[in-house]
Amino acid sequence: MGGSECCLKCLSGIPYASLIATILLYAGVALFCGCGHEALSGTVTILQTYFDVVRSPADALDVFTMIDIFKYVIYGVAAAFFVYGILLMVEGFFTTGAIRDLYGDFKITTCGRCVSAWFIMLTYIFMLAWLGVTAFSSLPVFMYFSIWNTCQNTTLLESSNVCFDLRQYGIVSISEEKKLCTASENFIKMCESNELDLTFHLFVCALAGAGAAVIAMVHYLMVLSANWAYVKDACRMQKYEDIKSKEEQELHDIHSTRSKERLNAYT
């Protein structure tokens, strides 16, 4: 019986709201980083194989250099939000009421309230950042959808010749002419290959992962706001208990003094 009570106490001490938000955050970040990384690698293959885009010299900033930079950013995002999720889980554990019951009362300091407020501000900033990432991730999805949809309807375009110019998307400079038309052999090969279909759906998954990260940030904001309210109320209750105990001690001292005075008067 004692073991089951201990297990129930431990389970009641888990911040389930923070746990759900952390799982959602990790799933979204893993989906965005993993699928985004592979989609960028697929983009490099498509550009080099079918659009005949050549990598510029090492000192020039081209689309391939930007893709390499995005890959390094993905590595940093994965590591940073792995640590941030752990920090938010720890904060959730310390502000769970069941933990107070498990380990006894603790003093809620100004530092604790400042930490909660800091996490709220930081999470709000990250939520806006992920909204920007979600909007940015929709651009390659739109571009690939245009090409993928054209490939799915090639039979309807036999009488016309539709061209995709990379200059329209800002991928190459204005001076470079990198077109791929539906009547060309490269376009037919690209549509028949698995690279286009796989890269398009990887970008869709990366977009879904970014959206899941936004939802996780909103969930965290709700949890942190509730924790902040809990800490604030607990602080007020602590002050009330301190004042109450002080007054009771003063009344006890007054009664003790009067009792001694009466005893001295009788003697």
Side-chain angles (χ1 to χ4, degrees), residues 11-169:
L11 289 174
S12 64
I14 297 175
Y16 290 102
S18 297
L19 181 62
I20 293 171
T22 303
I23 293 173
L24 186 60
L25 176 65
Y26 283 169
V29 172
L31 198 61
F32 171 78
C33 294
C35 294
H37 183 275
E38 292 304 311
L40 289 173
S41 300
T43 300
V44 172
T45 303
I46 289 173
L47 290 176
Q48 291 178 334
T49 305
Y50 304 109
F51 284 90
D52 298 325
V53 181
V54 181
R55 186 182 287 270
S56 301
D59 56 344
L61 183 65
D62 60 353
V63 62
F64 299 109
T65 306
M66 293 298 298
I67 287 175
D68 291 337
I69 292 173
F70 287 145
K71 286 183 177 179
Y72 285 116
V73 170
I74 284 174
Y75 300 148
V77 167
F81 278 93
F82 175 77
V83 175
Y84 191 65
I86 293 175
L87 291 176
L88 289 176
M89 271 298 295
V90 171
E91 196 272 345
F93 270 108
F94 276 109
T95 51
T96 301
I99 294 297
R100 292 187 62 190
D101 299 334
L102 189 63
Y103 293 103
D105 239 352
F106 63 88
K107 293 290 184 181
I108 299 173
T109 61
T110 306
C111 179
R113 284 177 288 166
C114 289
V115 168
S116 296
W118 171 255
F119 273 126
I120 291 174
M121 182 186 69
L122 203 59
T123 304
Y124 183 76
I125 294 172
F126 284 148
M127 184 197 69
L128 295 179
W130 275 110
L131 280 173
V133 170
T134 304
F136 183 76
S137 300
S138 64
L139 297 178
V141 172
F142 170 74
M143 290 187 288
Y144 271 100
F145 176 76
S146 300
I147 301 174
W148 179 80
N149 190 44
T150 304
C151 287
Q152 300 299 313
N153 298 282
T154 49
T155 54
L156 301 176
L157 299 172
E158 289 180 351
S159 58
S160 59
N161 189 26
V162 179
C163 295
F164 293 95
D165 194 342
L166 294 182
R167 292 176 295 181
Q168 296 176 333
Y169 303 109

Side-chain angles (χ1 to χ4, degrees), residues 12 30 49 51 56 79-80 106 135 145 173 176 179 193 197 207 225-226:
S12 64
T49 305
F51 284 90
S56 301
F106 63 88
F145 176 76
S173 60
E176 298 182 72
K179 289 183 179 180
S193 68
D197 189 69
L207 177 61
S225 299

Side-chain angles (χ1 to χ4, degrees), residues 242-252:
D242 290 342
I243 294 172
K244 184 180 178 181
S245 61
K246 187 177 179 181
E247 290 179 350
E248 289 177 351
Q249 184 63 39
E250 289 177 354
L251 288 173
H252 178 71

